[in-house]
Amino acid sequence: MRVLVVEDEAKLGVVLRDGLRRRGMGVDVASTGEEAVMRATATDYDLILLDVMLPGYDGFEVCRRLRASDVWSPTLMLTALDDVGDRVRGLDSGADDYLPKPFSFDELLARIRALIRRGSPPRPTVLTVGNLRLDPAERRVWRGEEELSLTAREFSMLELFMRHPGEVLSRFELLEHVWDDSYENRSNVIEVYVGYLREKLDRETIETVRGAGYRLRA
Ligand code: CA
């Protein structure tokens, strides 16, 4: 396992580097945001430990830049700021987990193990299919430059389609993921909502696959 530690406090950087090396990991240390971006785009790290408060780019900016450059190494943010807003910002910038300082080394190791188990598949914070763009954090969706106004249910349904572009989703799958058990009148609700989405998007983007369900054109 190869880990990048991004930490500007030299002492903590050394503690992390030595502690992880003792557990058999290969560890590089970057002390600025710019250096972190440079190293993480050059080497395919299995994990990035990312401090938030850094000289130059802060941790949020580092994370955004890496994800925008298609770098999906699991990223654990470390910060002294035990602040809900910061945690939300960190996760929405593309980080996978968050650990406030001071932390126990055992917990850090457990989180590292959990993140490495999940691997590094692409997990964009903003979904893009064709000319559609959907931001789950901001609950906004655009077609080209035009922002669309969707209800909460329409948004959920489009999000599900955009997470499975080109795949046929059955009525049952759509019901299961977009509605919950409190919804009783299930007879034609999917048809109705697909109709609403088509009115707001267009007639072609969501195709009917006869006898199977619906598919978002990839
Ligand atoms: Ca710092």
Side-chain angles (χ1 to χ4, degrees):
M1 290 293 147
R2 182 88 175 267
V3 177
L4 178 64
V5 171
V6 186
E7 175 57 73
D8 60 315
E9 290 160 51
K11 246 171 96 178
L12 181 55
V14 168
V15 168
L16 289 170
R17 186 195 63 198
D18 293 351
L20 296 176
R21 278 188 183 160
R22 269 198 301 276
R23 275 134 185 112
M25 299 179 198
V27 185
D28 301 311
V29 179
S31 55
T32 68
E34 283 78 356
E35 190 190 350
V37 171
M38 214 180 62
R39 281 181 174 273
T41 43
T43 300
D44 185 16
Y45 287 102
D46 298 294
L47 186 101
I48 301 173
L49 276 187
L50 180 57
D51 187 27
V52 168
M53 301 295 279
L54 292 167
Y57 303 151
D58 62 15
F60 307 123
E61 185 62 24
V62 169
C63 205
R64 260 194 304 276
R65 283 176 182 261
L66 290 179
R67 297 319 189 213
S69 320
D70 239 16
V71 174
W72 301 107
S73 306
T75 298
L76 175 56
M77 278 200 163
L78 300 176
T79 181
L81 303 172
D82 186 9
D83 176 89
V84 175
D86 261 32
R87 295 188 205 188
V88 171
R89 240 183 113 196
L91 296 169
D92 281 343
S93 71
D96 299 285
D97 198 3
Y98 196 104
L99 193 57
K101 294 176 186 172
F103 47 83
S104 90
F105 206 75
D106 283 343
E107 181 177 4
L108 175 68
L109 289 173
R111 285 180 189 267
I112 289 175
R113 286 192 295 272
L115 284 176
I116 288 178
R117 278 200 297 273
R118 294 189 219 161
S120 315
R123 31 196 198 294
T125 52
V126 175
L127 306 174
T128 306
V129 178
N131 65 351
L132 289 174
R133 218 153 33 89
L134 181 145
D135 185 336
E138 292 195 5
R139 309 286 298 171
R140 296 172 72 184
V141 57
W142 298 264
R143 187 179 52 186
E145 297 302 307
E146 179 201 0
E147 182 164 3
L148 304 177
S149 170
L150 302 185
T151 65
R153 199 73 83 181
E154 291 161 2
F155 188 95
S156 297
M157 195 180 223
L158 184 60
E159 182 178 352
L160 185 66
F161 276 119
M162 288 181 71
R163 289 191 186 282
H164 304 274
E167 287 175 37
V168 178
L169 299 179
S170 68
R171 284 172 183 74
F172 179 77
E173 285 172 307
L174 288 161
L175 269 177
E176 196 173 38
H177 291 280
V178 181
W179 277 266
D180 59 34
D181 285 343
S182 68
Y183 196 82
E184 297 297 331
N185 181 14
R186 289 183 162 194
S187 56
N188 69 340
V189 64
I190 297 299
E191 287 74 5
V192 169
Y193 272 84
V194 166
Y196 293 158
L197 271 182
R198 282 174 172 161
E199 270 169 38
K200 294 188 178 178
L201 301 171
D202 55 51
R203 296 271 141 203
E204 292 81 44
T205 302
I206 299 175
E207 301 171 308
T208 302
V209 181
R210 202 166 289 282
Y214 299 95
R215 173 169 57 202
L216 184 72
R217 277 174 192 251

